[in-house]
Amino acid sequence: MSRSKLKGRLVDAQGNLIGLVRVSMLGGLWSGEIDLTGSAPSIVSLFTRFEELVNGQMLSLVDDLEAEISQFGAQLLVAEGEALPVGNLQIYPAQREVSFRTT
């Protein structure tokens, strides 16, 4: 994939919306803005808890949440209809920031 900027939808394995993203690639990592409007409250709650643990530097507890997040089977759907598998998904709702890798 040669694009360095993307707009798309992050969805789980069942096609449920996680969020709308505008991201740029830097060093193999996509990062940018996320809009969680329309996301399930359980998704927002999970990532809010993730953000609180990271900000509180409770990294031993972050591992469990990262395992739960990886079970989403997240994919990035881009305008051309491509579905790109997503790994290392990190969402910070308060900051409206997202980062992930495509695999």
Side-chain angles (χ1 to χ4, degrees), residues 52-99:
E52 289 168 353
L53 292 175
V54 169
N55 289 342
Q57 297 184 4
M58 295 179 244
L59 303 181
S60 62
L61 300 175
V62 170
D63 291 339
D64 292 336
L65 279 182
E66 285 181 333
E68 190 175 336
I69 292 166
S70 70
Q71 293 176 0
F72 285 166
Q75 298 180 56
L76 176 64
L77 304 179
V78 293
E80 298 83 32
E82 270 183 277
L84 306 170
V86 168
N88 298 348
L89 177 59
Q90 297 183 357
I91 296 174
Y92 300 91
Q95 300 169 346
R96 298 177 43 103
E97 293 178 355
V98 63
S99 67

